[in-house]
């Protein structure tokens, strides 16, 4: 019998497993219905792992970082699959896609320079971006429709800019900070705590 406390880790592990399977399905430059099904399962696992971890009180920085790495593996697998199956789409969207990759790399660089860790905020805008990526992926691989990519790219920028600002605002690395407003409140609390400690 699997302990419930292991469920979030299993859901994260499922995402690590599905990512290369999606890529394997696209190696012949075509995808089966499994691609969409597998991707939707992966997105659902991403939605529920954090909820379950918080409900079971097993959410740790290590678990949330693993969650972020699983997301990176999943979306990297989808990106490579898109290049294999729909290379013209990548060419047509090359400038906006490069801009999205660039702003993400800037976010990673800022976090690594300041905290020596990758960001793991799991913000509301990140969740919105994930849903936009779901719509874009299903639209493209299910119906050959690419214009929903614009929505995903815009939300990538919104999320990245918010998380860059949060990284610059916070004095220490944090995970599971839902928005820049939550980050501002946390910054005030941390500053007050530091001031009170200095005054002792």
């Amino acid at each position: 019998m699997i302990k419930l406390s292991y469920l979030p880790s299993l859901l994260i592990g499922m995402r690590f497993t599905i990512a290369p399977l999606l890529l394997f399905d696209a190696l012949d430059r075509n995808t089966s219905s499994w691609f969409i099904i597998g991707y939707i399962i992966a997105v659902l696992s991403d939605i529920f792992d954090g909820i379950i971890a918080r409900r079971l009180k097993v959410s740790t920085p290590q678990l949330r970082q693993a969650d972020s790495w699983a997301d990176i593996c999943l979306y990297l697998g989808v990106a490579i699959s898109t290049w294999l199956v729909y290379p013209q789409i990548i060419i047509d969207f090359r400038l906006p896609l490069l801009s999205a990759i660039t702003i993400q790399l800037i976010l990673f660089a800022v976090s690594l320079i300041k905290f020596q860790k990758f960001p793991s905020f799991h913000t509301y805008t990140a969740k919105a971006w994930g849903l936009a990526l779901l719509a874009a992926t299903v639209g493209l691989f299910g119906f050959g429709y690419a214009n929903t990519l614009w929505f995903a790219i815009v939300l990538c920028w919104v999320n990245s800019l918010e998380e860059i600002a949060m990284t610059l605002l916070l004095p220490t690395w944090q995970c599971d900070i839902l928005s820049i407003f939550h980050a501002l409140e946390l910054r005030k609390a941390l500053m007050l705590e530091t001031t009170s400690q200095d005054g002792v």
Side-chain angles (χ1 to χ4, degrees), residues 15-28:
R15 221 150 57 252
F16 275 117
T17 303
I18 288 175
L21 292 176
L22 296 180
L23 185 55
F24 180 77
D25 189 33
L27 284 178
D28 62 352

Side-chain angles (χ1 to χ4, degrees), residues 151-169:
F151 190 41
I153 290 166
V154 168
L155 281 172
C156 173
W157 266 85
V158 171
N159 170 248
S160 299
L161 290 173
E162 180 184 46
E163 294 197 7
I164 289 169
M166 290 166 66
T167 302
L168 295 172
L169 278 170

Side-chain angles (χ1 to χ4, degrees), residues 11 37 54 82-83 97 102 110 113 127 148 179-181 199:
L11 290 172
I37 294 169
R54 287 188 290 273
T82 304
W83 173 252
L97 286 173
T102 301
V110 170
I113 291 167
K127 297 177 195 306
T148 43
S179 72
I180 193 167
F181 303 107

Side-chain angles (χ1 to χ4, degrees), residues 38-97:
Y39 180 71
I40 290 172
I41 291 171
V43 171
L44 289 174
S45 79
D46 188 26
I47 292 170
F48 287 107
D49 61 8
I51 295 171
I52 294 170
R54 287 188 290 273
R55 291 282 177 88
L56 296 177
K57 302 187 187 310
V58 294
S59 182
T60 63
Q62 293 78 15
L63 186 72
R64 303 308 282 151
Q65 280 189 294
D67 183 26
S68 295
W69 277 109
D71 289 344
I72 291 171
C73 288
L74 176 65
Y75 294 121
L76 187 59
V78 171
I80 297 171
S81 298
T82 304
W83 173 252
L84 290 171
V85 181
Y86 296 102
Q88 190 59 47
I89 297 298
I90 299 294
I91 294 168
D92 292 343
F93 282 81
R94 61 189 179 278
L95 292 180
L97 286 173

Side-chain angles (χ1 to χ4, degrees), residues 110-174:
V110 170
S111 187
L112 284 171
I113 291 167
K114 186 169 184 179
F115 301 128
Q116 293 75 55
K117 288 184 179 181
F118 284 99
S120 189
F121 290 120
H122 302 279
T123 56
Y124 289 132
T125 55
K127 297 177 195 306
W129 180 29
L131 291 174
L133 283 170
L134 172 63
T137 303
V138 171
L140 183 58
F141 286 90
F143 304 98
Y145 183 75
N147 283 338
T148 43
L149 273 172
W150 285 111
F151 190 41
I153 290 166
V154 168
L155 281 172
C156 173
W157 266 85
V158 171
N159 170 248
S160 299
L161 290 173
E162 180 184 46
E163 294 197 7
I164 289 169
M166 290 166 66
T167 302
L168 295 172
L169 278 170
L170 291 168
T172 58
W173 185 89
Q174 303 288 333

